[in-house]
Amino acid sequence: MTNDSPPQPPPGDEDAAEAAPASSRARLPELLHAAVAAVGGVERPGQVRMAEAVADAVGHGEHLLVQAGTGTGKSLAYLVPALAHGDRVVVATATLALQRQLVERDLPRTVDALHPVLRRRPLFAMLKGRSNYLCLHRAHEGTPSEEGEGLFDPVDALGGPAGKLGQDVLRLRDWADETETGDRDDLTPGVSDKAWAQLSVTSRECLGASKCAYGQECFAEKARERAKLADVVVTNHAMLAIDAIEGAPVLPEHELLIVDEAHELVNRVTGAATAELTVGAVNRAVKRAARLANEKAVDALQAAAESYHGLMETAQPGRVEELPEYLSYAVSAIRDAARQVITSLGETRDKSLTDEDVVRKQAMASAETLHETTERLLAESAWDVVWIERPDRFGLGAASLRVAPLSVSGLLRENLYKERSVVLTSATLKLGGDFNGVAASVGLPGEGRLADDRSPQEPERERGEDTPPYWRGIDVGSPFAYPKQGILYVAKHLPPPGREPDRPEMLAELEELIGAAGGRTLGLFSSMRAAQAAAEAMRERLDNKILLQGEDTLGELIRDFASEATACLFGTLSLWQGVDVPGSACQLVVMDRIPFPRPDDPLMSARQKAVEEAGGNGFMAVAATHAALLMAQGAGRLVRAADDRGVVAVLDPRLATARYGSFFRSSMPEFWYTTDRNQVRRSLAAIDASAPEPRPVAKRG
């Protein structure tokens, strides 16, 4: 997706484009006013303050953390100074919804609005990882036989594929001739991951534009070319992580990086830097290698796969601080066999294979990934955490080995801040009242922190190998009057939660709160078991419609919740951060407990231990920070518009009684705080009585 007009000044005004960046800060109020008017909005004090802070950070070569509450209009607050500055900017977001909003709504309107003032029309484009784009080679030449086995068996009465997978693959092939972007997210309705994998490739599996018969038409290559020409590149946190981790740049050079939804950055970078050794991946590598590698190398890998499978069928989940000898031997065997396969693939040729290059590339990708993962597991680095993970809580199927970085702060500090100014923004960056915890987690050290208020005479900061990244943190507030619009209620009278989801007193409290609210409840639970138990209990006790995550697609559940006045929606992690339902449909947000990570979570417990060994408070730095971020996000689901009213109810007395309770409360919006259960019931009843009926929400496509 891109705009196509060349970024040229009007005739006779060729110098305007060069002069624009120098004078952009002085014209910032005019530019912001034009952009806000173009989207039909109203300037807000927090939006103006944020735009000025972004312009200052870019102008002085600094980094900026900005907490901007819901309704601030932060997208325009960073887009306007970024466009005015004139250099290329990369915007990285965590969610598809915000990427689409930026490219389809905010950027087109902003560019049009600023054109008369800037006298240039910046280009913009979206860029994702290669596997997000349909591969024309696979669509037209077919999937390598090993991947496509069983796709079209059995057939229906008309001779077509009866299975859902086969039908989806055929639909994707038809779509390949219609789509202009090849972007998976433009396909409606979507298809399963398994179906998409048949017609997409990873960067390692790709033949390369010069060798591929469809290289000139390739959707991924076209997206990269558009990004190279664009002034604003909209991407995602995963691409940003890959760009930082792998050393080979996947993003075009840029002078300004804006990380929106920055509270998600650490998790996304950790995910990108995590590797897994599964039985399925080893078996898949065997199948791929068998078509081209020599028999000895394939047999060695097959034997290693069988040995590993046998061990992982009975392996117990948990952290592995040192690989046991038997497991180390099995992993070493896979590593050595993978190396043999790689060597063999580089030496052998089989012209009888019509798809020889594709087969070799695919087999090489699997073998190289195995080799890198096993090398990392065997290195047993102090900077990595290794653990055994079972595929589900019932222990069915073989387990796998996983390895993840103990921390990503050093990685981000080394790779994110040296060559550019970085602006990180979110509605939740201040935890416990300051930015220090989040700043440290994203690689911004305390020694680089500058005063929140800038002196007009401050010089531009120099970036060097030995200088810390200089940064500021500002909270521009929210346009909402949180103390008047919402109540934070803590059920102090309840017993503290235990490990089991069955909490009779909590369920009774939940029943009473939903009754007082007339439904209209978003239930945020710390586990799927707890959400299911609560849904089952409320369906027995109440007449309200209880929607449960997992029983339909998330989009359909949210639409149903927003459209039906008395409905309730219960779920877990994605609901804590992914629901935007303004209006009367959501007037009660319930959290069953403080969402601390599980005590047996290998990565979190390792990080907590590392902080403690360094002399810090591991509980507060890791477990409490993790939970506070989720609670701040969860509480933010309540007030999404200026006329929203309601209650956030936390059914965990520790928020009121524990020493760390104040840390959590200060991380949440400044709602009116109470532990008075009767007052809350009266307030909910009054809000319910005055609430209008929710408007039906139209379904997509």
Side-chain angles (χ1 to χ4, degrees):
M1 298 179 181
T2 183
N3 54 333
D4 299 318
S5 303
Q8 297 175 347
D13 198 14
E14 288 81 2
D15 294 334
E18 294 183 9
S23 59
S24 60
R25 290 178 64 214
R27 290 180 294 163
L28 189 60
E30 178 188 5
L31 295 168
L32 185 61
H33 179 78
V36 172
V39 299
V42 178
E43 287 178 54
R44 302 175 177 92
Q47 186 181 49
V48 174
R49 187 180 173 207
M50 177 174 173
E52 292 172 345
V54 172
D56 282 345
V58 178
H60 287 78
E62 298 167 357
H63 311 296
L64 181 69
L65 269 67
V66 187
Q67 177 160 293
T70 304
T72 301
K74 61 181 167 55
S75 296
L76 288 185
Y78 62 66
L79 284 178
V80 171
L83 290 170
H85 185 65
D87 292 324
R88 179 182 285 129
V89 56
V90 168
V91 181
T93 76
T95 62
L96 168 65
L98 184 52
Q99 288 178 49
R100 297 189 78 94
Q101 175 187 313
L102 287 169
V103 172
E104 295 177 3
R105 191 189 74 180
D106 293 348
L107 274 165
R109 293 180 183 180
T110 305
V111 166
D112 287 344
L114 300 190
H115 177 229
V117 185
L118 292 179
R119 299 193 178 185
R120 54 189 173 86
R121 191 179 293 277
L123 296 167
F124 53 88
M126 187 184 291
L127 182 62
K128 303 177 183 178
R130 187 172 293 274
S131 61
N132 290 278
Y133 300 97
L134 184 139
C135 172
L136 287 171
H137 190 282
R138 284 200 167 188
H140 295 304
E141 303 297 330
T143 306
S145 59
E146 156 297 286
E147 293 289 326
E149 289 175 3
L151 276 183
F152 301 108
D153 293 323
V155 297
D156 62 21
L158 298 176
K164 180 71 165 61
L165 179 60
Q167 292 172 356
D168 281 347
V169 169
L170 284 186
R171 184 158 67 87
L172 283 171
R173 287 177 177 163
D174 291 338
W175 183 68
D177 296 326
E178 303 167 3
T179 177
E180 294 182 1
T181 66
D183 186 337
R184 181 179 182 178
D185 294 319
D186 290 339
L187 176 68
T188 303
V191 297
S192 67
D193 290 346
K194 192 170 184 180
W196 183 258
Q198 309 304 316
L199 271 76
S200 65
V201 294
T202 65
S203 58
R204 280 186 165 172
E205 294 170 336
C206 177
L207 289 171
S210 62
K211 294 183 179 180
C212 179
Y214 303 91
Q216 297 300 311
E217 307 163 45
C218 175
F219 295 121
E221 291 297 324
K222 286 183 177 180
R224 287 179 177 240
E225 289 304 313
R226 287 193 294 267
K228 288 178 183 177
L229 298 173
D231 301 281
V232 181
V233 179
V234 179
T235 188
N236 52 53
H237 290 183
M239 281 285 281
L240 183 62
I242 293 168
D243 194 72
I245 292 168
E246 297 196 351
V250 295
L251 297 172
E253 288 189 7
H254 51 283
E255 290 72 30
L256 172 61
L257 169 64
I258 296 168
V259 183
D260 206 339
E261 301 165 311
H263 63 278
E264 280 284 293
L265 182 61
V266 168
N267 285 340
R268 301 297 172 114
V269 175
T270 299
T274 298
E276 186 176 25
L277 184 64
T278 68
V279 170
V282 184
N283 287 332
R284 188 159 51 250
V286 171
K287 286 184 179 180
R288 290 178 170 182
R291 297 186 64 193
L292 202 55
N294 68 52
E295 188 174 345
K296 182 179 179 182
V298 175
D299 287 347
L301 188 57
Q302 177 71 59
E306 291 172 358
S307 174
Y308 183 65
H309 188 184
L311 292 173
M312 299 312 285
E313 277 197 311
T314 57
Q316 295 303 306
R319 185 179 177 190
V320 180
E321 299 208 31
E322 183 178 346
L323 284 177
E325 186 176 354
Y326 68 90
L327 198 50
S328 178
Y329 179 82
V331 174
S332 297
I334 295 173
R335 178 198 60 189
D336 296 343
R339 186 187 298 124
Q340 291 180 51
V341 167
I342 292 168
T343 301
S344 173
L345 289 170
E347 296 172 346
T348 56
R349 295 289 184 270
D350 187 349
K351 296 301 182 182
S352 66
L353 288 174
T354 57
D355 54 353
E356 180 190 1
D357 287 342
V358 177
V359 171
R360 177 176 287 102
K361 194 74 174 179
Q362 196 175 64
M364 190 70 82
S366 284
E368 287 176 344
T369 300
L370 281 186
H371 189 263
E372 289 175 8
T373 302
T374 51
E375 285 271 66
R376 186 173 169 191
L377 286 166
L378 292 166
E380 297 186 329
S381 167
W383 303 108
D384 272 339
V385 180
V386 177
W387 71 96
I388 296 172
E389 186 168 289
R390 299 207 69 86
D392 59 57
R393 63 188 177 91
F394 299 106
L396 300 175
S400 61
L401 277 169
R402 305 196 81 194
V403 55
L406 180 62
S407 170
V408 297
S409 61
L411 175 72
L412 292 173
R413 178 172 176 173
E414 288 298 313
N415 295 286
L416 209 62
Y417 304 106
K418 288 183 178 178
E419 305 297 330
R420 60 186 72 85
S421 288
V422 181
V423 174
L424 301 106
T425 183
S426 166
T428 48
L429 290 180
K430 284 178 72 174
L431 300 180
D434 62 50
F435 290 99
N436 295 336
V438 170
S441 72
V442 297
L444 291 173
E447 65 266 24
R449 177 155 193 182
L450 304 167
D452 293 353
D453 297 324
R454 168 185 302 287
S455 166
Q457 287 75 40
E458 284 187 42
E460 180 173 347
R461 304 287 172 185
E462 292 186 7
R463 299 190 184 105
E465 290 293 325
D466 300 323
T467 59
Y470 292 109
W471 63 278
R472 298 178 195 274
I474 65 166
D475 181 358
V476 300
S478 168
F480 302 144
Y482 285 124
K484 295 181 179 179
Q485 291 184 247
I487 296 172
L488 172 60
Y489 163 61
V490 180
K492 186 178 179 181
H493 62 283
L494 293 178
R499 298 195 66 176
E500 293 302 316
D502 185 19
R503 297 171 59 198
E505 297 91 346
M506 183 275 287
L507 293 174
E509 181 80 9
L510 178 61
E511 178 187 358
E512 291 184 20
L513 290 169
I514 292 174
R520 311 176 191 275
T521 300
L522 177 65
L524 305 177
F525 294 85
S526 54
S527 70
M528 203 61 226
R529 289 178 65 197
Q532 290 165 345
E536 182 180 341
M538 294 305 106
R539 284 167 176 168
E540 291 176 355
R541 304 180 191 188
L542 299 169
D543 294 330
N544 303 74
K545 184 176 184 179
I546 307 295
L547 303 164
L548 177 63
Q549 185 179 359
E551 294 183 347
D552 203 339
T553 65
L554 188 56
E556 285 296 322
L557 289 171
I558 293 172
R559 277 188 283 273
D560 288 348
F561 176 54
S563 300
E564 192 160 336
T566 62
C568 302
L569 173 58
F570 292 178
T572 182
L573 188 60
S574 56
L575 296 189
W576 287 74
Q577 304 182 85
V579 176
D580 184 9
V581 182
S584 60
C586 181
Q587 295 184 336
L588 173 63
V589 174
V590 176
M591 303 181 199
D592 69 325
R593 64 169 72 199
I594 298 173
F596 291 120
R598 297 190 330 267
D600 60 351
D601 183 299
L603 187 54
M604 288 293 188
S605 59
R607 287 176 171 175
Q608 188 165 321
K609 181 180 178 182
V611 172
E612 290 166 356
E613 289 176 347
N617 187 326
F619 169 76
M620 292 302 296
V622 179
T625 295
H626 168 86
L629 189 56
L630 275 178
M631 293 193 79
Q633 285 285 310
R637 302 308 99 199
L638 181 69
V639 176
R640 312 298 294 175
D643 55 354
D644 283 355
R645 301 287 187 277
V647 171
V648 172
V650 181
L651 308 186
D652 186 337
R654 293 175 296 177
L655 194 67
T657 60
R659 284 187 301 172
Y660 51 73
S662 60
F663 173 80
F664 288 98
R665 295 197 302 272
S666 63
S667 303
M668 299 164 76
E670 295 179 348
F671 296 130
W672 188 76
Y673 172 63
T674 185
T675 58
D676 187 335
R677 58 194 302 197
N678 294 321
Q679 174 63 55
V680 165
R681 283 154 180 71
R682 289 193 297 269
S683 297
L684 282 170
I687 294 169
D688 178 42
S690 62
E693 289 291 310
R695 288 189 236 170
V697 178
K699 296 184 179 182
R700 271 188 74 192

